[in-house]
């Protein structure tokens, strides 16, 4: 939050400095709004243009783009405005050096003046404000991180917790249904002798006496 406010203030201060710079002296007492935009491409002349055809127009455009970028929290727009302001100021300086043969600050005020510093400083402040702004997309991501759900695991790691995938299809390949398992887990009642009852002799067969054939009954 502090970074966002600081970046906005710095960017807006740079926009204000840039839009006010054409109303200050740029060189040898000549105001910035007295230079045509066409002078940047044809060479600096002595013609005084109207306000909308002077150096004030690109700097006003940079200031408006800065305000829009601060409102929507777009670092790209604010940085673009700073590049526009600095670019036109540097191009004007190059054309001035070609026309006068030297670009310097004279002690008597005949050289570069405060208006150029306003324009260049305003563009630099716009770039600094763009660097300080957190950006619209970054802010949204930070707010959404608080309630972000668990991400679904990839195909290479399906066994994760909490479970986020449905169980896969059965591996059964036969068209017939699988037989149900018998829930009874005790011994098979058809294998082995039946269990003895309390009213019967526990011996399933009569006891054979030693030396007697069980096929012939004893004589009385």
């Amino acid at each position: 939050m502090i970074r966002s406010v600081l970046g906005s203030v710095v960017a807006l201060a740079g926009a204000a400095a840039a839009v006010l710079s054409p109303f200050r002296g740029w060189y040898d007492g000549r105001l910035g709004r007295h230079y045509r935009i066409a002078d940047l491409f044809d060479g600096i002349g002595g013609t005084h243009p109207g306000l909308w055809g002077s150096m004030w127009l690109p700097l006003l455009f940079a200031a408006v783009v800065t305000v829009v970028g601060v409102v929507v929290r777009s670092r790209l727009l604010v940085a673009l405005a700073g590049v526009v302001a600095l670019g036109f100021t540097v191009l004007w300086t190059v054309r001035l050096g070609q026309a006068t043969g030297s670009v310097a600050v004279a002690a008597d005020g005949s050289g570069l003046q405060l208006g150029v510093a306003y324009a260049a400083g305003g563009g630099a402040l716009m770039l600094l404000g763009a660097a300080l702004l957190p950006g619209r997309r970054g802010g949204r991501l930070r707010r959404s991180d608080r309630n972000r759900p668990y991400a679904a695991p990839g195909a290479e790691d399906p066994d994760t917790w909490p479970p986020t995938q449905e169980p896969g299809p059965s591996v059964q390949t036969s068209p017939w249904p699988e037989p149900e398992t018998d829930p009874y887990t005790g011994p098979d009642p058809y294998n082995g002798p039946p269990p003895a009852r309390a009213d019967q002799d526990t011996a399933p067969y009569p006891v054979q006496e030693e030396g007697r054939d069980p096929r012939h009954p004893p004589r009385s």
Side-chain angles (χ1 to χ4, degrees):
M1 183 63 183
I2 298 178
R3 180 179 176 183
S4 178
V5 173
L6 182 60
S8 301
V9 171
V10 171
L12 292 177
V19 80
L20 289 176
S21 64
F23 299 94
R24 300 292 185 270
W26 278 41
Y27 183 78
D28 199 13
R30 188 176 179 181
L31 302 182
R33 63 185 179 89
H34 292 163
Y35 293 96
R36 300 181 307 160
I37 299 178
D39 290 346
L40 302 179
F41 308 98
D42 301 335
I44 295 179
T47 305
H48 289 189
L51 186 62
W52 294 101
S54 66
M55 287 290 295
W56 182 71
L57 183 61
L59 296 176
L60 175 65
F61 172 78
V64 172
V65 173
T66 301
V67 174
V68 175
V70 169
V71 171
V72 300
R73 289 191 301 175
S74 174
R75 301 175 63 182
L76 180 60
L77 288 179
V78 179
L80 176 63
V83 170
V84 169
L86 277 178
F88 275 89
T89 304
V90 171
L91 184 57
W92 175 87
T93 306
V94 172
R95 289 300 185 183
L96 180 67
Q98 293 176 351
T100 60
S102 64
V103 178
V105 179
D108 57 356
S110 60
L112 294 177
Q113 295 180 340
L114 194 59
V116 180
Y118 276 23
L125 288 177
M126 294 177 199
L127 293 178
L128 179 60
L132 293 175
L133 284 175
R136 183 178 180 182
R137 185 177 181 181
R140 284 185 174 180
L141 289 176
R142 280 193 294 273
R143 288 196 302 270
S144 61
D145 286 343
R146 302 174 185 175
N147 299 323
R148 178 178 296 177
Y150 290 101
E156 69 279 359
D157 189 17
D159 297 331
T160 57
W161 185 260
T164 55
Q165 292 183 348
E166 297 294 333
S170 176
V171 295
Q172 180 182 357
T173 57
S174 174
W176 306 105
E178 297 182 357
E180 297 182 359
T181 57
D182 189 358
Y184 181 74
T185 57
D188 189 355
Y190 299 101
N191 295 332
R197 295 184 301 180
D199 57 348
Q200 291 184 351
D201 190 0
T202 56
Y205 301 100
V207 179
Q208 180 180 359
E209 295 182 4
E210 184 178 357
R212 180 177 295 180
D213 190 355
R215 292 175 295 178
H216 300 281
R219 297 178 182 178
S220 56

